[in-house]
Amino acid sequence: MYSIDTKIRTIPRDYHYTPIGNLTVHYAKLLNEGLMGIEEEIIEKLNDKNLDNSETSFLNCLLNTLESITVLKDRQLHHLRQLQEKNPENKGKDPENKNIRRLIEIFSHIPLHPARTLEEALQTVLFINSLIWMDGHSLVGLGRLDNVLYPFLEKDLSTGLLGLDEAKDLIIGFLRSLNKYYEYKSNALLGDTGQVIVLGGKNPDGTDSTNPLTLIFMEALKDLRLPDPKIVLRVHDNTPEEVWDMALRCLEAGLGYPLFTNDEVIINSLINFGYREEDSFDYATSACWEPFIPGKSLDQNNLTDINFLTPLMRLLKSVHEEKGNISEFKRFLGSYKIYLAEYIEEVVESVDKVDFEPAPLLSLLVDDCIVECKDISQGGARYNYYGLLSVGMGNTINALLNIKRMVYDEERIDLKGVYKVLEGNFESDEKLRYELSNKGFKYGMDEDLVMDLTNELINSVQLSLDNFRNKFGFKYKFGLSSPGFITNSLYFPASFDGRSHGEPFGVHISPVDNYNISYTTISNFASALNYDKAFNGGVVDIIAEKSFIKSIKDKFIDYLKVSFKEGVMQLQINVLNPEILIKAKEDPDSFPNLIVRVWGFSAYFKDLPEKYQDLIIKRALQYESQNHQYTTI
Amino acid sequence: MSLKITNIQRFSLHDGPGIRTTVFLKGCSIRCPWCCNPENISDLPQFYFNSEDCIHCRECSEVCPVEILKEPRDVLTLAADELAYCFKCRKCVEGCPTGALGIYGEKISEEDLMSTLEMDREYYIQTGGGVTFSGGEPLLQADELLNIFKTLREKDIHIAVETSLFAPVSCLDLIIDSVDLFIIDVKILDAELADSVLHANLEEFKTNFQMISRKNKDMIIRFPMIKPFTFNRKNIDSLMDFIGDYNIKYIEIFTTHQLAAKKYDSLGWEMKKQECIKEEEIKELIDELEDISVEVKSLNFN
């Protein structure tokens, strides 16, 4: 049972506050202790003599919230009983009535008491999840459900209550429920719901944490062919073969997920950054791919984007206006880094102004709000880091490489000329635009020049961010991918990588355009990047044809394994056929179920705005021609 | 020492075991009418023009010092014409902003080649892959390959050579001990037809094949199914007889595709259309081969 009152969101709120989103609550605690366990914890805390007024009133507010949840649960029970009584003579025979009777049993127990069975656990998650949505939060994640739910399945299997097939049926029902309200839950675009289920992963002792539910979740979604909810799969050196195999089967089915995320890189980055070791091993992701400790964090990982091109444009403009010049590329790069640092300061200032809306429901379910007697919006959670994302990095690297080559090495144009050309959007020099985008080394190549320059920019951002703490006293982190590669580009002027005004930026850690960059090339490039603090999402985004993946599945899995071993942080694969995309754009009614990966989510192709459709078609064609150009047969 | 190549393709998955890098060598000893790498036939550099990429900016005409390029496509005929004024200065190619005009073929030094080949070393080692030399006919550059093979062996990188074996036995003799795997294209097994269709000497093929077999080298056979040239009753019977005598790992069969049409066009040539081969016919061949206990892999593209 899963229902959301979609009208509640339309109730006016205080717009001074930003609702907290991009977050996953502590489902494991909820399932194991029940709301009554949490209530006990609050009451115990209230007995503490040292609390001040505001702390006491916060805890009382949590108790009120618990009471409201109970009222709502009782209302639901009442409704179920009414339904049952409508049809008393059929009691127990009619399948629907049987179902109702079971729900009455379940809701007489949960969410107040700990769940006893897988079914109760699933129903608890659904109930609380629906409340979080109705409470006005968006991009509501689900966390490591295979790990969280497995103890319940294990028990059911041992008592003989369930077999694996029945468990799969329950999971299918659960996923179908979450898929409801697809439109309501969508954020920036249809499908952008943030409903991510994180599967797999490495235990602190190095062993693998996958269990039968890992496969069941993937298989169920593959059979259902739903774009949402979607999977992030944590992989590491000991990820079992059958998990890789099932993941590839999901991709082959054209779901666009799982997104692979590399425990070997991320867990270290999290620990080094300041997360506790045991929490780091339990990471999930915020809506798309940003590592996040579920149930213990406020971490707002998607506050805004760093646009690497902004400081470059400002620098070029200032050189143009001041009629100065910069004599060497090294000095030009130095100036760029100064502009970058200034720009980052502005970005940080703008996000630190954000005030979050108090959220007692989340505070109940996120550590350590009760212990700290502080609402999550006030920094009550264990982790309160802020995360920034970035766009235009590939474009900026390519622009810098072009400036190095054409302005400094070949001396064919000066910096003022560069600015003028960009200001005029290449209109007087289309030839130059083509040359810029076609010649020389490019972002994504495993050439030292390119990798070193990219790391130089990453390090520069890290150094700048080190200077700041947010209002909770927590550090800033940033990531190398972002949903904003189109939205940020729409009104952005032309750039010296050969991009015209308004054209999309490069997608995550992928070649900006087609330069015959092979899959191993991009993996080597991505492996060489410094993710020390730049771990707030770093996705290699590639496109492969179905026939390609199908015919050489084992080799493709090998490719993924080596790439992650070498240090690629995250990777997603769109399995597409460009001809079908082109047909589907012309005739959407004939392809209603065609799914594509957009940024950190999958969606129906027909639902995408034209700009997104065009970009995917363009990239799919590029990959196709690259893969077909040279063959020995 | 340098090699004449057209391309180095990383992340090759069809040219031997594991993840590989394939080096396409320029220059071939035979002339298959169905060739899918026409840019590798001649061992000389060749101009190409991809009309799809041309933005009609006229840069090529403007930079031509002898002012003979009226249209970019002219480079295909003028550069090949001994009497034309073109002295192959390459200014048109350098000036082309989109890469529509270019040159197939470059000489690459051993050092540069090795640095590219080593980039995916981890992928070779961990997936049982390596480097494959294809072409064109790699045996024609045996002298140059010998050094590179030596370096690759020192670095424990697996070496495969894809060859039609139409080359002097001395070439094969030079490199045979350094090669881990031979991917052998078997095309036409009738001496007269091999001569008239492929301009090839079947004796060379047979001698070379026997040498590889004698040395117990790993062998994969590739058989392109082309009507009427290779895919006919007589040739298939010959194929059965022939491979029955040898110990091969498996045979890969495939029909050709039109993917190379763009490359033909870029050279100013036309790709010959091949007659379609039906699913059932392929199935029959697979059955026949399996009957003589040969493992078959069908690499059909579409």
Side-chain angles (χ1 to χ4, degrees):
Chain A
M1 187 158 100
Y2 186 69
S3 63
I4 286 178
D5 183 345
T6 54
K7 292 198 189 85
I8 287 185
R9 275 248 189 128
T10 56
I11 297 170
R13 316 170 75 106
D14 183 341
Y15 288 113
H16 168 72
Y17 291 112
T18 305
I20 296 167
N22 268 295
L23 179 135
T24 305
V25 298
H26 204 326
Y27 283 117
K29 183 178 173 187
L30 171 70
L31 295 173
N32 292 323
E33 298 178 16
L35 290 176
M36 277 170 78
I38 294 170
E39 190 180 15
E40 272 167 36
E41 191 188 340
I42 298 168
I43 291 170
E44 204 174 298
K45 191 77 197 172
L46 269 171
N47 291 333
D48 190 337
K49 298 267 176 328
N50 298 322
L51 295 182
D52 65 23
N53 273 349
S54 77
E55 289 169 333
T56 315
S57 76
F58 166 69
L59 291 175
N60 280 320
C61 162
L62 291 190
L63 289 179
N64 286 341
T65 308
L66 276 177
E67 204 181 309
S68 316
I69 298 173
T70 313
V71 169
L72 194 70
K73 184 264 305 177
D74 285 340
R75 227 186 271 164
Q76 199 151 302
L77 260 180
H78 179 71
H79 173 70
L80 285 165
R81 290 210 173 96
Q82 273 182 330
L83 279 176
Q84 190 184 39
E85 273 156 26
K86 260 191 209 158
N87 233 343
E89 64 276 14
N90 272 343
K91 241 183 201 174
K93 286 180 200 156
D94 175 18
E96 195 176 328
N97 241 330
K98 210 170 145 190
N99 211 1
I100 289 170
R101 204 179 59 196
R102 201 147 89 212
L103 281 169
I104 291 173
E105 275 168 28
I106 291 173
F107 277 99
S108 306
H109 188 77
I110 61 120
L112 299 186
H113 302 278
R116 294 166 298 191
T117 62
L118 179 65
E119 193 177 10
E120 285 185 358
L122 292 169
Q123 195 59 65
T124 310
V125 172
L126 287 177
F127 181 68
I128 296 297
N129 175 278
S130 71
L131 298 186
I132 298 172
W133 281 106
M134 284 190 278
D135 199 28
H137 305 287
S138 52
L139 304 164
V140 180
L142 292 148
R144 302 180 69 196
L145 286 183
D146 56 348
N147 271 263
V148 169
L149 295 170
Y150 188 58
F152 301 94
L153 173 61
E154 208 176 9
K155 202 171 129 213
D156 289 355
L157 291 171
S158 72
T159 59
L161 187 69
L162 286 182
L164 283 178
D165 286 345
E166 287 150 308
K168 189 180 165 191
D169 288 342
L170 286 176
I171 298 296
I172 286 176
F174 175 79
L175 295 167
R176 279 212 173 105
S177 297
L178 288 171
N179 182 259
K180 286 186 193 168
Y181 311 103
Y182 182 69
E183 208 164 319
Y184 166 85
K185 289 177 171 180
S186 294
N187 197 44
L189 293 181
L190 267 182
D192 177 28
T193 67
Q195 298 204 100
V196 170
I197 296 172
V198 179
L199 301 176
K202 180 177 170 173
N203 295 318
D205 64 1
T207 56
D208 171 61
S209 79
T210 55
N211 61 55
L213 277 175
T214 316
L215 292 176
I216 289 176
F217 267 110
M218 283 198 272
E219 192 171 23
L221 278 165
K222 175 180 71 65
D223 295 348
L224 288 168
R225 298 184 83 87
L226 293 175
D228 184 70
K230 56 225 148 244
I231 296 167
V232 165
L233 181 64
R234 281 178 48 176
V235 293
H236 57 97
D237 291 347
N238 297 320
T239 298
E241 289 304 318
E242 68 257 34
V243 172
W244 283 110
D245 187 69
M246 185 61 82
L248 264 281
R249 282 165 64 190
C250 287
L251 289 169
E252 233 181 274
L255 299 176
Y257 57 76
L259 174 146
F260 299 95
T261 176
N262 187 356
D263 282 8
E264 310 292 347
V265 173
I266 290 170
I267 292 172
N268 280 335
S269 290
L270 287 167
I271 295 172
N272 291 339
F273 192 73
Y275 293 89
R276 294 186 197 171
E277 190 172 329
E278 72 270 22
D279 290 341
S280 302
F281 274 93
D282 197 36
Y283 84 91
T285 64
S286 307
C288 297
W289 43 58
E290 308 86 347
F292 178 90
I293 315 299
K296 291 169 184 168
S297 321
L298 164 71
D299 282 24
Q300 291 296 291
N301 284 337
N302 186 359
L303 280 170
T304 192
D305 291 309
I306 297 168
N307 181 349
F308 280 94
L309 281 172
T310 301
L312 183 59
M313 273 314 278
R314 287 182 184 172
L315 170 60
L316 289 169
K317 190 170 181 212
S318 104
V319 171
H320 176 73
E321 280 169 359
E322 285 163 24
K323 319 217 182 311
N325 207 354
I326 300 174
S327 56
E328 293 168 65
F329 179 68
K330 221 173 121 189
R331 288 188 48 219
F332 181 82
L333 190 60
S335 306
Y336 171 72
K337 287 199 240 169
I338 294 170
Y339 275 72
L340 180 62
E342 284 171 10
Y343 164 72
I344 288 198
E345 192 172 345
E346 285 167 35
V347 172
V348 167
E349 272 171 17
S350 76
V351 299
D352 209 31
K353 287 191 189 119
V354 174
D355 276 331
F356 293 109
E357 189 179 60
L361 176 62
L362 298 182
S363 302
L364 271 176
L365 297 167
V366 173
D367 297 355
D368 302 314
C369 294
I370 297 173
V371 179
E372 298 289 326
C373 301
K374 216 191 262 177
D375 191 86
I376 187 169
S377 62
Q378 305 296 314
R382 183 172 302 169
Y383 303 111
N384 300 286
Y385 296 107
Y386 280 178
L388 306 175
L389 303 176
S390 58
V391 295
M393 181 181 228
N395 305 82
T396 302
I397 295 292
N398 289 350
L400 289 170
L401 290 167
N402 281 333
I403 287 171
K404 180 180 184 302
R405 183 168 57 88
M406 296 190 75
V407 177
Y408 293 100
D409 298 348
E410 296 174 6
E411 296 181 5
R412 287 169 51 192
I413 186 169
D414 64 8
L415 290 174
K416 282 171 220 157
V418 170
Y419 183 75
K420 265 187 231 151
V421 163
L422 297 180
E423 207 182 20
N425 194 22
F426 297 107
E427 263 153 30
S428 57
D429 208 344
E430 187 70 350
K431 257 192 291 193
L432 177 64
R433 191 179 77 72
Y434 275 95
E435 185 179 341
L436 292 174
S437 60
N438 281 308
K439 294 201 171 165
F441 286 149
K442 300 293 177 197
Y443 181 79
M445 291 182 177
D446 46 0
E447 298 287 340
D448 288 342
L449 176 68
V450 184
M451 296 188 294
D452 292 348
L453 185 60
T454 309
N455 273 330
E456 215 173 320
L457 297 202
I458 291 174
N459 294 343
S460 181
V461 174
Q462 290 185 352
L463 276 175
S464 304
L465 287 177
D466 278 348
N467 296 325
F468 305 104
R469 296 290 178 275
N470 66 19
K471 62 177 171 192
F472 305 116
F474 279 72
K475 289 190 284 187
Y476 285 83
K477 51 194 174 176
F478 84 110
L480 305 179
S481 6
S482 162
F485 51 85
I486 285 188
T487 45
N488 282 291
S489 71
L490 291 175
Y491 304 102
F492 202 87
S495 40
F496 209 60
D497 56 316
R499 179 191 141 275
S500 307
H501 181 281
E503 285 298 302
F505 295 144
V507 180
H508 316 319
I509 307 179
S510 302
V512 177
D513 226 319
N514 176 35
Y515 312 109
N516 271 334
I517 292 179
S518 76
Y519 295 139
T520 46
T521 310
I522 187 70
S523 283
N524 284 342
F525 171 81
S527 307
L529 301 183
N530 173 12
Y531 296 110
D532 226 15
K533 288 177 191 115
F535 62 87
N536 193 36
V539 182
V540 172
D541 184 290
I542 58 178
I543 295 178
E545 285 166 78
K546 192 171 174 176
S547 58
F548 195 56
I549 290 229
K550 224 177 167 156
S551 63
I552 39 103
K553 190 157 139 194
D554 292 346
K555 286 192 183 183
F556 213 87
I557 293 176
D558 281 346
Y559 159 68
L560 294 173
K561 284 184 188 168
V562 180
S563 295
F564 291 124
K565 214 166 184 179
E566 291 300 288
V568 169
M569 187 174 126
Q570 294 170 322
L571 188 141
Q572 64 185 10
I573 308 161
N574 243 319
V575 179
L576 299 170
N577 177 333
E579 282 83 63
I580 290 181
L581 293 177
I582 292 166
K583 278 187 205 152
K585 191 188 166 191
E586 282 164 10
D587 180 16
D589 294 342
S590 304
F591 300 88
N593 299 319
L594 179 64
I595 297 171
V596 294
R597 184 79 179 174
V598 188
W599 52 77
F601 66 93
S602 298
Y604 294 112
F605 185 71
K606 66 175 168 49
D607 290 341
L608 292 179
E610 197 175 6
K611 274 241 170 200
Y612 289 87
Q613 291 187 334
D614 290 346
L615 182 63
I616 288 179
I617 291 174
K618 182 179 151 203
R619 293 186 66 222
L621 285 168
Q622 287 175 348
Y623 274 90
E624 182 189 53
S625 73
Q626 179 183 321
N627 290 336
H628 284 176
Q629 196 173 6
Y630 291 96
T631 151
T632 54
I633 57 171
Chain B
M1 278 290 188
S2 61
L3 276 185
K4 288 174 280 186
I5 66 164
T6 51
N7 185 42
I8 301 171
Q9 173 87 8
R10 292 166 61 183
F11 195 63
S12 283
L13 304 174
H14 295 287
D15 303 323
I19 292 173
R20 313 186 71 83
T21 297
T22 302
V23 183
F24 291 83
L25 300 175
K26 196 158 167 39
C28 194
S29 52
I30 55 170
R31 298 291 180 269
C32 307
W34 59 84
C35 180
C36 68
N37 287 315
E39 77 282 18
N40 291 321
I41 297 174
S42 161
D43 69 346
L44 297 171
Q46 284 162 291
F47 284 92
Y48 67 76
F49 172 62
N50 276 315
S51 52
E52 278 175 32
D53 296 335
C54 179
I55 55 166
H56 312 287
C57 67
R58 310 205 56 78
E59 180 75 14
C60 49
S61 317
E62 280 161 29
V63 296
C64 177
V66 285
E67 297 176 5
I68 53 169
L69 277 188
K70 291 196 174 55
E71 293 295 328
R73 186 173 277 279
D74 293 346
V75 79
L76 300 179
T77 41
L78 291 171
D81 182 353
E82 289 296 320
L83 297 173
Y85 286 108
C86 172
F87 55 97
K88 302 177 181 69
C89 68
R90 301 184 177 214
K91 285 222 164 73
C92 52
V93 171
E94 284 157 20
C96 176
T98 66
L101 270 186
I103 291 170
Y104 287 127
E106 60 174 306
K107 280 194 169 176
I108 188 167
S109 69
E110 189 188 326
E111 201 186 1
D112 287 351
L113 178 63
M114 276 310 298
S115 87
T116 305
L117 296 182
E118 277 189 274
M119 281 183 160
D120 288 345
R121 186 167 195 279
E122 283 307 316
Y123 288 89
Y124 311 150
I125 303 297
Q126 295 182 46
T127 69
V131 176
T132 300
F133 291 84
S134 179
E137 176 49 65
L139 293 183
L140 297 182
Q141 297 188 55
D143 270 331
E144 293 80 1
L145 283 173
L146 191 60
N147 270 329
I148 289 156
F149 286 2
K150 200 167 149 247
T151 319
L152 286 169
R153 292 196 80 80
E154 279 164 13
K155 294 176 188 288
D156 270 335
I157 295 175
H158 180 272
I159 300 167
V161 169
E162 199 218 355
T163 169
S164 67
L165 294 183
F166 290 111
V169 68
S170 57
C171 292
L172 177 64
D173 193 39
L174 209 53
I175 57 161
I176 188 163
D177 291 330
S178 323
V179 178
D180 297 296
L181 168 70
F182 282 93
I183 302 170
I184 301 168
D185 304 334
V186 177
K187 299 163 199 267
I188 295 175
L189 288 162
D190 176 282
E192 265 174 47
L193 285 170
D195 180 39
S196 63
V197 177
L198 309 174
H199 306 278
N201 176 357
L202 197 64
E203 277 315 305
E204 270 180 352
F205 168 82
K206 286 187 171 163
T207 318
N208 286 332
F209 202 103
Q210 279 156 8
M211 186 196 287
I212 295 171
S213 168
R214 261 203 317 277
K215 294 247 182 186
N216 274 324
K217 288 280 169 187
D218 281 347
M219 281 193 264
I220 297 171
I221 303 288
R222 272 191 174 165
F223 180 65
M225 295 178 281
I226 317 286
K227 274 184 184 174
F229 305 111
T230 70
F231 201 84
N232 59 62
R233 193 62 260 162
K234 193 160 167 269
N235 201 45
I236 288 173
D237 286 341
S238 309
L239 175 74
M240 301 285 177
D241 283 348
F242 183 75
I243 60 175
D245 294 344
Y246 295 97
N247 179 23
I248 60 166
K249 278 172 88 87
Y250 53 84
I251 180 165
E252 295 175 340
I253 60 170
F254 55 94
T255 56
T256 53
H257 46 77
Q258 289 294 311
L259 295 172
K262 200 182 148 191
K263 287 196 284 191
Y264 275 86
D265 187 57
S266 73
L267 286 161
W269 302 345
E270 205 179 321
M271 188 173 185
K272 293 185 188 79
K273 272 228 161 15
Q274 301 301 338
E275 203 180 321
C276 181
I277 295 178
K278 295 188 202 80
E279 270 313 302
E280 308 91 77
E281 291 176 293
I282 298 174
K283 185 83 201 15
E284 252 173 62
L285 177 61
I286 293 175
D287 289 344
E288 279 186 62
L289 285 163
E290 282 173 348
D291 279 348
I292 58 163
S293 321
V294 177
E295 190 191 337
V296 188
K297 294 190 181 179
S298 177
L299 302 184
N300 258 345
F301 237 73
N302 295 314

